Amino acid sequence: MTVKLAVKRISVDWDWNNNIVECECHVRHTCLELNTVVKNSSNKNQRSKLSLSFSILNSQFSILLKLITIMLHANPSSCATQLIDGDGVFNVTGLDHFIKSVNLSSCGISYAVVAIMGPQSSGKSTLMNHLFHTTFREMDAFRGRSQTTKGIWIANCVGIEPATIAMDLEGTDGRERGEDDTAFEKQSALFALAVSDIVMINMWCHDIGREQAANKPLLKTVFQVMMRLFSPRKTTLVFVIRDKTKTPLENLDPILREDIQKIWDAVPKPEAHKHTPLSEFFNVEVTALSNYEEKEEKFKEEVAQLRQRFFHSIAPGGLAGDRRGVVPASAFSISAQQIWKVIRENKDLDLPAHKVMVATVRCEEIANEKLGQLRSDEGWLELEDAVQSGPVRGFGEKLSSIIDIYLSQYDQEAIFFDEAVRNAKRKQLESMALDFVYPAYTIILGHLRSKALEDFKTKLEQSLKNGEGFASTVHMWTKSILLEFDKGSSDAAVRQTNWGASKVRDKLHRDIDSHALFVRNKKLAEITTNFEKQLAKALTEPVESLFEAGGKDTWPSIRKLLTRETEAAVSKFLTSIAGFELDEETVERMQQSLRDYARKVVENKAREEAGKILILMKDKFSTVFNHDNDSLPRVWTGKEDIRAITKDARSASLKLLSDMTAIRLEEKPDRIESVLHSALLDRTAAATSSQYAIKEASLDPLASSTWEEVSPQDILITPVQCKSLWRQFQGETEYTVTQAISAQEAYKRSNNWLPPPWAIAAMLVLGFNEFMLLLKNPLYLMFMFVAYLIGRALWVQMDIAGEFRHGALPGILSISSRFIPTVMNLLKRLAEEAQGNPTTEETEQHSSAAQIYRNQVQKSDLASSSITTNSSVSSVGSTSGDNESSATNLSQRRTNIPEANFS
């Protein structure tokens, strides 16, 4: 029956979600119960059955131990780590690994350290494992009572907030260390008090009042040394009374506190803390627990209650809520090491044996002497000087020989000293000698690397000049240069060490790759730039010419030009980069970049031309308006249909505007030209109706900032801007049309010298008396005839009609300045003719006829010249280059008009 109860206890009560150590203790306790039953059984059959059950349970226990080991390896943060071993050696590596595994460094000052001390085999580890779910090693009761914890161990408290570190100290008063060796006990207790926020002191209930068992001498020593070594900090002392009896805790608490106060009062203190109370440095808490083996459930319940007190222990009101001098978690390792170092140095260490001490001193002197001789060795100095200027052949062998000489001399002089010390100092000498010559080794490796890199650069450049493929050349010379470097580094190797040149070789390889990449990018950039320049040259001027021409197929022609030039450039570009052995993705990207650049050239040129669209429209209008179908300048004779000519010129300008409104590099249809034509040209012709004006205001297709079926990024001129530009264009070209009309009227007037018929009739009626006076007195008639001849001569000679062509005031000023010289010249010629100088009549008539014709042509060309001048003036506002071009064209037209008419 007992066996069934035990097995049921294991199978039912075993909660694998609880702490692993608790499960282990559970099985141990069950085995102990079964063992007792086996011994007390008097029935042989029952005893044999119990023995069989006990064997099965032991096998289960072995499986459990293996399972515990596996789970501990799977979760290293829950493993206990030995911080200080039994000999006092601080485990720096283990502590650093522990801090990383529990991520302690990220806690700042939000962490706590809980230590436990007490007599050996008093259940400290068991209490810590149940209290904090740690995995400290516990004593095996089946093997007897002996030392379990050696040194100081630490572990992470599972499920406690904030992060809490549990510290399990080696038990005091153990037989393994003996009665006299209490130094480590004191040092470990002092260390625990120095680094912990909470120190739990484990003590038996029946030992309260005893001098030794209650750790009173230990506490007295710790208090005294702590006051001398460390700056005071606030520590909470939790006295855990184990196996409490019927004596109430309320009665035990005052006795224990009184004993602690007596110890504190008896400790010598510095003057600054002579009257400082215990509560200034320590918080004292007392708790009691039941017997673990006899009242396990009660024990666990009390431990669970005690565990709750460690939650938020550093918060105000917690167990360590008023602690001081907290070290940040990131510095916990360094702090613990330094504290332990100070504690250990306070112990009177034994000096080494006389033999070992002498060997140590003497071997160190010999080693220093040989090192000094090596530093002043002539061979070494020559080798060092040679290394500064460049690689030295046989460097490694020469240096190894020099070092061997001084190591051999050391061996000969130190042969009779202690072997361990002699070998240690020989290693120290060899290490110092190698450290001394190592800079020369690094220098020679640096020379080898620099030389190899320069050789690679030179050979690569020469091969590329010879037209060899880039990729194959780089691969070939990289392999060759690295082989040369390997030979040089092997020659520089020193026998006494395993120095490797792998890092320098890797650096050389990276430098070679970096230079090759730089050269490749540079060459590719040059090739790309060259093709981009060719594309820009092949596209810019033709595109500009197509825009200025303003033909019917402007954008189809541009697209055709772009495709032809781009594909030709890409084909040549692929041939140029074939030797670089680029991957397909890179080649495709570079091709696309070249295509994008060509497209960008066209787009930029389109935007540039769109910026001066008004000038181009006015030039287009002037060209169409002032020239006929044969590209000859127009002479406004009165026979031309100015309205039709104006409409044609505006249509041509509107076509140019529609071409410049958007980029059309994709073959997508749009209605821009028809919208502009209907909204601007047709509407202008029909705008005389007021009803149409009202309808226009409500249905204006240009009242928008985008074009239908055109992407926003392809828009160069918005509909609103087109409307504004057309309005400005009309305003600046209306004057040209007006001048043309005026020129026609002026031409008609200049060719009609007779006054109107009504004027002639009036002259006959009103001038009859004067006419009769002239008939009665012929002298007046002769005088008027002579005056007419003189006036006619002055009119022709001074070109009065031409002078007044530029205005009345300039004409008067010019005539007044030339009148007297012209009269004198005319009188002189009359005098010469009277003296008989030969002048043919035909020459005079020809000259007079030519002069009259010239005057008539100049009068008829007056309006046309004014129109051209005004058109040129209106273009001045954009660019000075356009000004000069317009002025040049104007002068050419003025020069060519008479010749064309005359011919």
Side-chain angles (χ1 to χ4, degrees), residues 488-501:
S489 61
S490 299
D491 181 70
V494 181
R495 286 199 309 270
Q496 290 83 2
T497 184
N498 57 353
W499 291 336

Side-chain angles (χ1 to χ4, degrees), residues 341-352:
K341 180 180 178 182
V342 173
I343 293 173
R344 293 289 288 179
E345 289 176 353
N346 193 52
K347 180 181 177 181
D348 295 331
L349 300 176
D350 294 331
L351 296 176

Side-chain angles (χ1 to χ4, degrees), residues 399-556:
L399 184 57
S400 299
S401 300
I402 295 173
I403 295 175
D404 281 341
I405 291 174
Y406 292 102
L407 290 178
S408 300
Q409 293 178 0
Y410 170 85
D411 292 336
Q412 293 175 2
E413 295 184 20
I415 191 171
F416 298 106
F417 292 102
D418 182 82
E419 182 179 2
V421 176
R422 183 180 71 241
N423 292 337
K425 295 301 178 182
R426 189 184 192 278
K427 290 182 179 179
Q428 182 178 351
L429 170 61
E430 185 177 358
S431 176
M432 294 173 65
L434 293 175
D435 290 342
F436 173 69
V437 300
Y438 183 73
Y441 176 75
T442 57
I443 290 174
I444 199 168
L445 287 183
H447 287 316
L448 291 173
R449 185 186 68 83
S450 300
K451 182 178 181 300
L453 183 59
E454 290 300 323
D455 290 345
F456 174 79
K457 292 179 180 179
T458 303
K459 293 177 180 179
L460 177 62
E461 183 179 0
Q462 187 63 37
S463 297
L464 293 178
K465 287 182 179 179
N466 295 335
E468 299 179 14
F470 180 84
S472 58
T473 302
V474 169
H475 179 73
M476 177 184 65
W477 288 122
T478 299
K479 185 176 180 180
S480 174
I481 292 300
L482 290 178
L483 286 176
E484 292 182 7
F485 177 81
D486 291 339
K487 293 179 181 178
S489 61
S490 299
D491 181 70
V494 181
R495 286 199 309 270
Q496 290 83 2
T497 184
N498 57 353
W499 291 336
S502 59
K503 292 184 178 180
V504 182
R505 189 182 189 276
D506 294 341
K507 179 67 168 58
L508 172 61
H509 203 297
R510 290 195 300 271
D511 292 342
I512 289 175
D513 292 342
S514 177
H515 180 71
L517 181 61
F518 171 77
V519 173
R520 190 192 76 167
N521 293 338
K522 182 179 178 181
K523 294 294 182 182
L524 290 176
E526 291 177 355
I527 295 173
T528 303
T529 303
N530 184 32
F531 277 94
E532 286 178 352
K533 290 180 178 179
Q534 293 179 10
L535 274 174
K537 184 178 180 181
L539 292 174
T540 302
E541 293 182 359
V543 169
E544 181 179 2
S545 177
L546 288 172
F547 278 133
E548 291 179 353
K552 294 182 179 180
D553 299 329
T554 300
W555 280 107

